[in-house]
Amino acid sequence: MTTATAPAATGVAPTLRRLYFVRFGFALVWAILLFPTASSINPLTAVLLVLYPVFDVAAAVVDARSARVDVAGGSANASAPGLYVNIAISTLAAVGLAVALTSGIPAVLRVWGPWAVVAGIVQLVVAIRRRRLGGQWAMIASGAISVLAGVSFFLMASSAGASLANVGGYALLGGVFFLVSALRLGRKVRQSTSGRN
């Protein structure tokens, strides 16, 4: 059992840790740029809204490549199928958001909401499959919160004065969860390398 988890901890975990730090930084900058323009759709808001799922696709591609680690001569990591699903749904979300932008904030929320629900479910599944790597409890919590937030975004689309401020908060909170996971993965990598010495 230790021989099966050690390569994953030393191979996949450092890559995930770096990716999670990048995702935190992106979410922080993205939310800071979105908050001042959250009450209307302008060119900056439009670019930000489409950029978020496009970045998610790029991050999932990097993640899927890191998941191709043979563990004790076995096949690719079990999280890879979930990552491919995430790539597909985030691509659809980017296209859907590009179209919804022409109809206003409620239409954007009607696309963002279901995407957050499905992406949250996928994140839950991937994090549960990766729990042995460590640092995944935050990803599990993030996936669950994403599902709840997605439902609230969809319902918010019907309310008067719909705004994108909550979407910025959602991205920022997701970034914090990535930061927590990155820090926990760092501890796991240090423990596994010191345990082998």
Side-chain angles (χ1 to χ4, degrees):
M1 186 164 195
T2 353
T3 56
T5 55
T10 58
V12 176
T15 303
L16 281 180
R17 183 172 185 257
R18 286 188 298 274
L19 178 62
Y20 288 175
F21 276 128
V22 169
R23 293 196 72 160
F24 163 70
F26 174 81
L28 178 64
V29 171
W30 188 90
I32 288 170
L33 291 173
L34 181 72
F35 281 132
T37 63
S39 59
S40 64
I41 293 180
N42 59 47
L44 174 62
T45 310
V47 168
L48 288 171
L49 289 169
V50 175
L51 180 62
Y52 195 93
V54 168
F55 180 82
D56 196 53
V57 168
V61 168
V62 170
D63 199 342
R65 286 184 180 164
S66 76
R68 294 182 191 158
V69 174
D70 284 344
V71 179
S75 59
N77 190 298
S79 62
L83 296 169
Y84 296 133
V85 170
N86 190 53
I87 290 167
I89 61 169
S90 293
T91 300
L92 289 174
V95 172
L97 286 166
V99 171
L101 285 166
T102 61
S103 300
I105 290 175
V108 167
L109 292 173
R110 285 187 187 99
V111 173
W112 197 285
W115 173 51
V117 169
V118 177
I121 292 168
V122 170
Q123 186 176 19
L124 270 168
V125 170
V126 169
I128 288 168
R129 289 185 173 186
R130 285 182 166 165
R131 66 189 177 280
R132 289 185 186 178
L133 285 176
Q136 295 302 301
W137 69 266
M139 293 294 91
I140 292 169
S142 179
I145 290 170
S146 184
V147 170
L148 296 174
V151 171
S152 76
F153 294 144
F154 189 78
L155 296 174
M156 205 182 304
S158 302
S159 66
S163 166
L164 298 171
N166 288 338
V167 171
Y170 161 81
L172 191 55
L173 182 60
V176 169
F177 280 117
F178 278 114
L179 176 62
V180 170
S181 282
L183 296 172
R184 305 259 320 166
L185 278 169
R187 187 179 326 164
K188 180 76 172 184
V189 170
R190 284 190 298 278
Q191 287 172 350
S192 80
T193 54
S194 67
R196 289 182 305 162
N197 293 336

